[in-house]
Amino acid sequence: MDKLEKDKFTDSYVENLQRITLKNFDETSEKDKYDALCDTIMELINQEWRESKEKSRHERKAYYFSAEFLIGRSLGNNLINLGIYDDVKELLCELGIDFEALEDYEDDAALGNGGLGRLAACFMDSAATQDINMYGYGVRYREGLFKQSFENGFQKEQGDSWIKDGDGWSIRVDSDSRIVNFKDQQVKAVPFDMPVVGLENGKVNTLRLWQAEPFEEFEFDKFNNFEYDAAVAKKNRAEDITRVLYPNDIQRAGRVLRLKQQYFFVSASIQDIVAKYKRYFADDMRFKNFHKYHVIQLNDTHPNIAIAELIRVLVDENSLSFEEALEVARKVFAFTNHTVLQEAIEKWPIDIVEEVSPRCLEIIYQINDVLVNHFKKKGLSETEIDPYRIVINDQVHMANLAIYVGFSINGVAELHTGILKVDTFKHWYEVFPEKFNNKTNGITPRRWLLYANRPLSSFITEKLGSDNWKYNLDELKGLEKFARDEKTLNELWDIKHANKERLAKYILEHEGVKIDPNSIFDIQVKRIHEYKRQHLNILHIIYLYHELKNNPDMDFYPTTFIFGGKAAPGYFRAKGIIKLANEVARVVNNDSEVNDKLKVVFVENFRVSYGEKIYPAADVSEQISTAGKEASGTGNMKFMLNGAPTLGTLDGANIEIFDHAGEENNYRFGATVEDLKNIQASYNPVKLYQTDKNIRDAVDALVNGELDDNNSYMFLDIYNELINPQDGSRGDRYYVLKDFEDYRRAHEQINKDYRDKLAWSKKCLMNIANAGYFSSDRTIIDYADHIWKVDSPNY
Ligand code: Z57
């Protein structure tokens, strides 16, 4: 985008404002001002969007199929990427408008649960910025991830109807509507296109989200026939499909409606792609060149039914043979795995698949037959074939489907991909080693630094003498030359301090808790899950509290522990962890003997836009999952990029963070994957509890009346999981007690080290300087070059 023509912008903004409201400027509301701003920016984007589409029409493209895109807000991000953020802010200010209030007015588009959905959004940003042709395809949920509030410390969920007042960032494209056929119902899929603006490069990609609507217009004649209820019911049943996002991260939802959502967006997307191909390549009746123009990246198992759907469309609607269609599919699909936790890897009961699309189930059986024959020819016995089967025990294994048919399977961090090879998909790696590859995750530096941390951005540009780092984050490496420069280190400290003041103000306003910006901000924000071990963090805080009570003069640097994150509504123990953190916060924060040294706050409704305020203000990044369980993590990268050392286990991308930024600038602790493998058979958490007084005092607080769970039995449940398993297992499945002592030691070190301002600031600087590798630009280029080969039309 060329430099903003300021007068024109102001004129068209005011014109839009009046056109859509019919009000005088002074009478317009915040919503009016926000809506008009969206319109004005969409008009600015429009031309480049059309030109980008036109230019890429006949080019090879990657399609990112994902059930989740966790976008967050678009206003600030679009302005940043258009390169007009500061100008527009100034112009609105001249009109007397509070720009920050408008930014805060926008609802997050929370069309995802956590890391997987946010990754998809970061990838969209990076593809546009790197001029890569990538289309996103997903679901336009009318209700995004629930809003979280706390009642007496318990999580309560409220709906998130984020588009009830409209959605300024998408265009409804009725002419591209598709019909999706289910066994028992036919619905219309209406696409809503969102522009994805590259950073000041004129590239605008498209994120196409499908909304389910009744196939026929509302049947008013039914009213006359006294069948009004039936007509309403039919409409609702269509709209139900995209009504709400399933709120579980990791845990799979085995409900028919969930598979219907998946099939719905995948079927519409495949039809869309095939129809466009036929329009532009009308002479390729047998789809011989289809794979030259398309590659489809499957984001986890959720969209994997696309494989059957493509074959269905080619066979049933384009008269290819099954064999021909399967050959096309083999060249088109690539699959990303995001977890090794069995509870997330989808296996659909065949009767549910049948209930959604009997034809797809039939095709899946056909593929399974080809697979079985393949392995029989190789000399495998029936039982040796079992781990490969797509259909087994009356279930459809969605990962097996994608690994067999697809040409690529990737993990999301080095360690994770290694575990896929030697453990989770070991059998597949033995037969198809060439399909396996790693693509370590990344985050977009536009949202997570340029937008979220304006002061740090300016500082970096000033120090490096250029803003090239916005396009090539590796340039941050140039900051290393200031590692011994006291002035620079002090400036960096001051920026962090200002960000902490900003967060403290926000937390006082929104959570009603006063925190001290001079204390260490030690932060863990992410979905609540046992494997992420928020309860390890909390047990350690209980330990600290006891220490401070017993020894009030103890040498301790004041620390504020900040939590944020949502628990899946049906995950009792995760909700117990939230209640526990809130209860510890209540006790500690109200105890005047300690509350000038120790504070705990669990922020309500952590989401993308809250993260934008939190990451820049962190001193310590808590990344404490059980080794081997967190596939990658991406929050860890957001903290690093904003200059917070990591306190972490050797898990996921933490390992790569330590490698890049240096162990000496971070705090690693805990058992490794290797350690855990060696001790798993003999691990005895009860013995640890009996022999380690620190552990015992902290764990006892769960059940000795010190902490009150309002008779919910939530704390007893956590206690039982740790040392009193009710199911005959050995307890503490996530090795919380095993890692406690080393975690305690690491915290003690941090508490000492923080006092040396320059040494600490140097660690922060070294983390920023080495965050380049964790840009999603690097990740997306790796996908484009090595999986998609998206720059070579003759692939
Ligand atoms: C999800 O957010 C992730 C994996 C899943 O299988 C599902 Br379902 C949801 C996360 C991983 O837990 C993170 O470790 C990873 O960084 C993220 O996906 C992006 O790859």
Side-chain angles (χ1 to χ4, degrees):
M1 155 119 190
D2 300 327
K3 247 188 75 62
L4 185 71
E5 296 169 63
K6 295 191 183 181
D7 294 346
K8 236 176 103 183
F9 183 89
T10 305
D11 287 352
S12 68
Y13 176 64
V14 173
E15 206 178 288
N16 279 335
L17 185 55
Q18 291 173 343
R19 179 176 51 79
I20 63 178
T21 61
L22 284 174
K23 294 180 195 164
N24 291 326
F25 184 88
D26 296 340
E27 298 163 341
T28 55
S29 66
E30 197 161 70
K31 173 178 166 30
D32 296 335
K33 295 185 176 95
Y34 168 81
D35 287 346
L37 188 53
C38 288
D39 279 8
T40 311
I41 295 164
M42 284 294 264
E43 282 163 14
L44 283 180
I45 295 171
N46 193 281
Q47 188 187 344
E48 287 175 353
W49 197 3
R50 278 183 288 112
E51 285 167 5
S52 289
K53 269 192 183 155
E54 190 52 42
K55 193 169 155 279
S56 67
R57 184 148 288 162
H58 299 272
E59 290 174 1
R60 176 173 171 79
K61 288 191 257 307
Y63 298 87
Y64 201 77
F65 278 27
S66 179
E68 303 188 8
F69 287 90
L70 215 186
I71 299 162
R73 291 174 176 159
S74 293
L75 173 57
N77 197 248
N78 281 336
L79 291 174
I80 286 279
N81 285 12
L82 290 166
I84 58 175
Y85 182 85
D86 292 324
D87 284 345
V88 168
K89 189 169 175 172
E90 195 187 305
L91 290 176
L92 292 184
C93 189
E94 282 168 18
L95 290 173
I97 292 172
D98 179 351
F99 179 71
E100 274 170 37
L102 287 196
E103 284 184 293
D104 257 336
Y105 174 81
E106 183 174 1
D107 270 326
D108 280 38
L111 310 185
N113 275 287
L116 167 144
R118 183 54 231 175
L119 184 75
C122 283
F123 281 1
M124 293 304 301
D125 184 273
S126 283
T129 295
Q130 295 302 325
D131 206 354
I132 289 165
N133 291 323
M134 184 176 103
Y135 268 56
Y137 272 118
V139 184
R140 188 170 193 257
Y141 302 103
R142 287 225 319 269
E143 303 246 358
L145 183 60
F146 67 86
K147 289 191 176 134
Q148 175 196 58
S149 62
F150 299 138
E151 241 173 59
N152 200 13
F154 293 102
Q155 170 175 292
K156 289 284 171 296
E157 301 93 20
Q158 292 86 35
D160 171 51
S161 36
W162 66 292
I163 45 182
K164 67 173 186 305
D165 302 324
D167 155 26
W169 302 109
S170 64
I171 310 249
R172 180 182 172 111
V173 191
D174 273 297
S175 56
D176 279 357
S177 295
R178 311 282 167 196
I179 302 300
V180 175
N181 285 298
F182 296 99
K183 184 184 183 184
D184 58 347
Q185 128 188 74
Q186 229 179 14
V187 304
K188 189 163 76 176
V190 181
F192 286 72
D193 286 359
M194 301 183 85
V196 183
V197 179
L199 179 65
E200 299 179 58
N201 66 350
K203 176 81 166 184
V204 183
N205 277 333
T206 301
L207 171 58
R208 174 161 277 194
L209 302 178
W210 300 98
Q211 174 168 294
E213 295 185 9
F215 171 50
E216 293 137 313
E217 282 304 304
F218 191 72
E219 300 160 80
F220 278 104
D221 55 327
K222 292 261 162 82
F223 183 71
N224 307 323
N225 294 334
F226 303 100
E227 289 177 53
Y228 186 74
D229 287 355
V232 172
K234 197 166 162 188
K235 178 171 184 284
N236 286 341
R237 233 163 63 79
E239 289 172 352
D240 276 346
I241 293 173
T242 55
R243 195 174 303 282
V244 60
L245 167 78
Y246 275 88
N248 16 359
D249 189 74
I250 300 292
Q251 193 87 3
R252 62 175 174 252
R255 313 298 295 269
V256 191
L257 189 60
R258 169 70 173 176
L259 185 64
K260 277 193 157 182
Q261 286 184 340
Q262 297 179 350
Y263 182 64
F264 168 77
F265 93 86
V266 148
S267 174
S269 307
I270 292 283
Q271 291 184 55
D272 203 39
I273 291 170
V274 169
K276 282 194 178 131
Y277 183 67
K278 286 162 71 173
R279 184 156 1 125
Y280 299 118
F281 301 92
D283 53 338
D284 185 15
M285 307 278 286
R286 319 249 18 114
F287 290 79
K288 288 278 183 244
N289 294 319
F290 185 81
H291 67 279
K292 293 185 182 169
Y293 295 92
H294 308 91
V295 54
I296 297 174
Q297 191 69 40
L298 301 166
N299 195 25
D300 218 286
T301 47
H302 319 142
N304 285 4
I305 199 161
I307 294 171
E309 178 66 3
L310 175 64
I311 294 173
R312 185 194 67 77
V313 168
L314 295 183
V315 172
D316 295 2
E317 294 170 12
N318 293 278
S319 61
L320 269 68
S321 69
F322 171 77
E323 289 72 23
E324 281 176 309
L326 180 59
E327 281 320 298
V328 174
R330 284 185 191 286
K331 292 181 215 142
V332 166
F333 288 104
F335 168 54
T336 305
N337 168 279
H338 293 264
T339 185
V340 300
L341 296 182
Q342 282 307 320
E343 60 263 39
I345 299 179
E346 289 178 303
K347 294 159 194 159
W348 286 103
I350 48 175
D351 39 289
I352 291 189
V353 181
E354 212 268 339
E355 214 176 313
V356 172
S357 172
R359 180 64 180 126
C360 280
L361 181 61
E362 209 169 88
I363 289 167
I364 288 167
Y365 273 120
Q366 270 181 293
I367 302 170
N368 191 57
D369 286 345
V370 176
L371 175 150
V372 170
N373 285 332
H374 167 93
F375 286 111
K376 275 192 181 152
K377 262 196 215 125
K378 289 210 156 184
L380 273 70
S381 70
E382 291 285 344
T383 48
E384 283 168 336
I385 297 173
D386 282 351
Y388 299 100
R389 285 179 207 271
I390 299 166
V391 187
I392 185 167
N393 300 332
D394 294 330
Q395 290 181 319
V396 180
H397 285 229
M398 302 312 275
N400 283 357
L401 173 63
I403 301 171
Y404 179 60
V405 178
F407 66 86
S408 166
I409 162 166
N410 73 281
V412 292
E414 296 284 353
L415 178 79
H416 169 58
T417 302
I419 293 172
L420 295 184
K421 289 178 182 176
V422 303
D423 191 1
T424 318
F425 299 131
K426 171 177 185 290
H427 50 294
W428 283 112
Y429 184 60
E430 281 162 11
V431 296
F432 295 136
E434 71 286 353
K435 291 192 186 188
F436 283 71
N437 62 95
N438 176 249
K439 297 286 169 281
T440 296
N441 284 166
I443 55 164
T444 171
R446 268 73 61 187
R447 182 178 293 269
W448 298 115
L449 176 52
L450 197 52
Y451 174 65
N453 201 342
R454 302 295 287 152
L456 184 59
S457 293
S458 310
F459 167 86
I460 292 170
T461 301
E462 187 195 306
K463 292 294 161 191
L464 296 179
S466 129
D467 65 356
N468 261 341
W469 60 270
K470 300 193 297 197
Y471 306 92
N472 178 7
L473 203 65
D474 288 330
E475 303 226 348
L476 292 181
K477 193 82 183 168
L479 292 172
E480 279 196 353
K481 69 169 180 282
F482 299 98
R484 262 179 255 11
D485 183 59
E486 289 197 15
K487 180 171 164 283
T488 303
L489 295 175
N490 280 317
E491 284 168 8
L492 185 58
W493 179 280
D494 292 343
I495 288 170
K496 180 66 79 181
H497 194 267
N499 289 337
K500 289 166 72 178
E501 282 179 332
R502 186 173 76 126
L503 180 63
K505 185 163 169 276
Y506 191 87
I507 284 180
L508 180 60
E509 267 165 37
H510 289 82
E511 321 298 339
V513 181
K514 192 162 187 260
I515 60 176
D516 177 6
N518 292 309
S519 66
I520 300 171
F521 280 14
D522 182 305
I523 309 188
Q524 186 174 23
V525 286
K526 49 181 78 247
R527 287 300 289 251
I528 313 301
H529 199 292
E530 288 168 275
Y531 86 79
K532 295 176 188 284
R533 300 199 295 191
Q534 281 91 355
H535 48 332
L536 170 58
N537 191 342
I538 302 165
L539 284 173
H540 174 257
I541 297 169
I542 295 172
Y543 154 79
L544 283 178
Y545 177 60
H546 289 166
E547 289 293 290
L548 285 166
K549 289 296 277 184
N550 292 335
N551 185 0
D553 298 325
M554 179 174 119
D555 184 22
F556 181 75
Y557 199 95
T559 303
T560 303
F561 289 93
I562 300 172
F563 292 89
K566 295 175 183 178
Y571 189 172
F572 180 81
R573 196 166 290 152
K575 290 181 138 178
I577 290 172
I578 291 178
K579 173 65 182 171
L580 179 60
N582 279 325
E583 174 63 4
V584 171
R586 189 185 64 80
V587 170
V588 169
N589 297 353
N590 288 312
D591 188 333
S592 57
E593 275 177 31
V594 302
N595 65 13
D596 55 341
K597 297 176 203 128
L598 192 61
K599 273 270 165 75
V600 183
V601 46
F602 201 130
V603 305
E604 257 178 1
N605 202 29
F606 178 70
R607 59 199 183 282
V608 171
S609 59
Y610 213 141
E612 290 159 5
K613 300 180 168 72
I614 286 180
Y615 297 114
D619 293 313
V620 178
S621 159
E622 296 262 359
Q623 307 300 332
I624 61 178
S625 53
T626 312
K629 299 297 184 195
E630 188 71 272
S632 164
T634 45
N636 47 5
M637 302 167 188
K638 294 163 197 167
F639 282 108
M640 178 197 197
L641 183 60
N642 283 282
T646 297
L647 166 57
T649 47
L650 284 178
D651 197 18
N654 296 351
I655 298 178
E656 291 161 73
I657 287 176
F658 298 149
D659 285 350
H660 281 263
E663 293 241 342
E664 69 282 10
N665 299 311
N666 290 289
Y667 297 85
R668 58 162 273 212
F669 75 96
T672 63
V673 172
E674 182 71 11
D675 294 338
L676 294 181
K677 211 174 76 192
N678 292 332
I679 65 148
Q680 66 163 351
S682 61
Y683 179 52
N684 184 349
V686 177
K687 196 162 162 208
L688 270 178
Y689 166 85
Q690 286 163 345
T691 52
D692 185 324
K693 184 173 181 313
N694 294 335
I695 291 178
R696 195 165 56 247
D697 285 352
V699 170
D700 281 346
L702 295 172
V703 290
N704 66 8
E706 218 183 308
L707 300 166
D708 184 1
D709 68 3
N710 306 82
N711 302 318
S712 63
Y713 292 98
M714 280 174 158
F715 298 171
L716 177 63
D717 173 65
I718 295 169
Y719 176 91
N720 285 343
E721 156 58 25
L722 294 174
I723 56 167
N724 184 26
Q726 303 296 294
D727 61 357
S729 69
R730 69 156 182 187
D732 195 12
R733 288 173 1 269
Y734 294 100
Y735 299 95
V736 171
L737 305 188
K738 163 81 185 152
D739 279 346
F740 184 89
E741 170 53 23
D742 205 25
Y743 182 61
R744 193 200 59 74
R745 175 205 52 80
H747 265 297
E748 209 167 79
Q749 191 65 48
I750 288 172
N751 200 272
K752 283 204 181 79
D753 291 355
Y754 189 79
R755 303 167 201 210
D756 186 339
K757 186 170 163 182
L758 288 178
W760 186 267
S761 199
K762 181 182 170 194
K763 290 179 201 285
C764 301
L765 183 92
M766 292 301 284
N767 273 285
I768 300 167
N770 291 289
Y773 184 75
F774 302 100
S775 168
S776 47
D777 293 358
R778 186 268 311 150
T779 315
I780 213 73
I781 289 170
D782 198 1
Y783 276 88
D785 285 353
H786 299 111
I787 302 180
W788 306 338
K789 317 230 159 112
V790 90
D791 274 328
S792 43
N794 294 319
Y795 171 65

